[in-house]
Amino acid sequence: MALRKLVAGNWKMNGDRAALAELDAIAAAAVDHGGVDVAVCPPFTLIAPAADRAPGLPIGAQDCHQNAKGAHTGCISAAMLKEAGARLTIVGHSERRADQHETDAEVRAKAEAAIGAGLTAIVCVGETEAQRDAGQALAIVEGQLDGSVPPAGTGDTLVIAYEPVWAIGTGRTPSVADVAEMHAAIRAKLAALLGEEGAKVRILYGGSVKPDNAVELLGVADVDGALVGGASLTAAQFVPIIAAAASLG
Ligand code: PGA
């Protein structure tokens, strides 16, 4: 089943109010290419101004806390994100799994909190280079899915992003065959975890997606879109990726 593609930008800890000017052309491209979904996830402080500036463009966060409120200094709840204008949030990005020591169980709880607050959750998984070299890539990703996919996730509320850690920000990407093998394995695991709904959950590829490799990566079976870091920071780089997704239907 071909799912509607989603191209989501992850600005990470980049961008300021001046950078929101990039959203004008990104939002226009999203309208031009109405056959694909587009979203941008800026830093927390830019969510509200981004949503104001580009009301038609889904704006997301890059993390949320698993609890609704309480004594969690420096954290932010899913409902707060929703109130600020977010429609989705990334959870379990490998940078957070590494830097903030987030576990699969925490990632699942964050995804459940996001969905409970009315946000779509993009749950990230992916192996390190050492794990791939040891032949463990499939087992690692399947284990992350077992631990971090919310059982109530649906095609409307849940997205998976497969991001090999060694491909993030490096300019390196897996072979088409390796992407195909991994996305097929993720699809099978989603069916096992979610039943029929597992066929409707989009599986994004992420890690050094650029205008010049987007058609190749997005054309792989069961690649239902892309999670884009560096190349989402400017419309000049991000719009061609949106167009590539649209060209594949
Ligand atoms: P990149 O980042 O496109 O800069 O490799 C992707 C990501 O971490 O989501």
Side-chain angles (χ1 to χ4, degrees):
M1 180 169 60
L3 301 177
R4 187 179 160 86
K5 286 193 177 1
L6 167 63
V7 180
N10 172 13
W11 282 13
K12 308 192 181 183
M13 198 169 74
N14 296 293
D16 52 18
R17 282 186 182 244
L20 295 178
E22 300 294 328
L23 297 182
D24 299 352
I26 293 169
V31 172
D32 286 349
H33 301 290
V36 298
D37 291 330
V38 179
V40 173
C41 302
F44 290 138
T45 50
L46 295 178
I47 289 173
D52 284 347
R53 181 161 187 143
L57 182 68
I59 299 299
Q62 301 166 18
D63 178 48
C64 69
H65 196 275
Q66 54 270 42
N67 291 357
K69 61 179 182 173
H72 304 287
T73 303
C75 298
I76 191 152
S77 76
M80 292 169 183
L81 297 172
K82 174 100 172 162
E83 187 180 43
R87 294 194 230 169
L88 63 148
T89 185
I90 298 166
V91 292
H93 189 282
S94 62
E95 287 153 14
R96 294 199 60 85
R97 288 178 184 261
D99 298 351
Q100 276 76 34
H101 313 292
E102 291 187 3
T103 65
D104 285 336
E106 283 168 336
V107 174
R108 171 185 277 157
K110 286 169 182 246
E112 286 174 338
I115 293 169
L119 302 175
T120 295
I122 302 181
V123 174
C124 301
V125 295
E127 82 285 356
T128 64
E129 184 156 36
Q131 289 163 340
R132 176 158 287 273
D133 289 347
Q136 298 169 345
L138 289 175
I140 290 291
V141 168
E142 287 167 350
Q144 290 173 333
L145 292 168
D146 277 332
S148 49
V149 167
T154 69
D156 289 332
T157 60
L158 177 67
V159 175
I160 304 297
Y162 167 59
E163 300 201 302
V165 176
W166 52 272
I168 294 175
T170 61
R172 298 165 57 205
T173 53
S175 68
V176 162
D178 284 346
V179 173
E181 179 185 44
M182 183 62 81
H183 279 242
I186 294 171
R187 179 65 67 208
K189 174 59 79 175
L190 289 175
L193 291 171
L194 302 176
E196 281 180 21
E197 206 61 37
K200 301 179 195 160
V201 172
R202 289 179 285 191
I203 307 170
L204 313 185
Y205 167 79
S208 295
V209 177
K210 307 289 177 197
D212 63 0
N213 63 18
V215 166
E216 184 178 45
L217 291 164
L218 286 160
V220 176
D222 275 316
V223 174
D224 308 308
L227 183 55
V228 184
S232 72
L233 293 172
T234 61
Q237 292 256 300
F238 197 42
V239 168
I241 298 172
I242 296 166
S247 75
L248 294 161

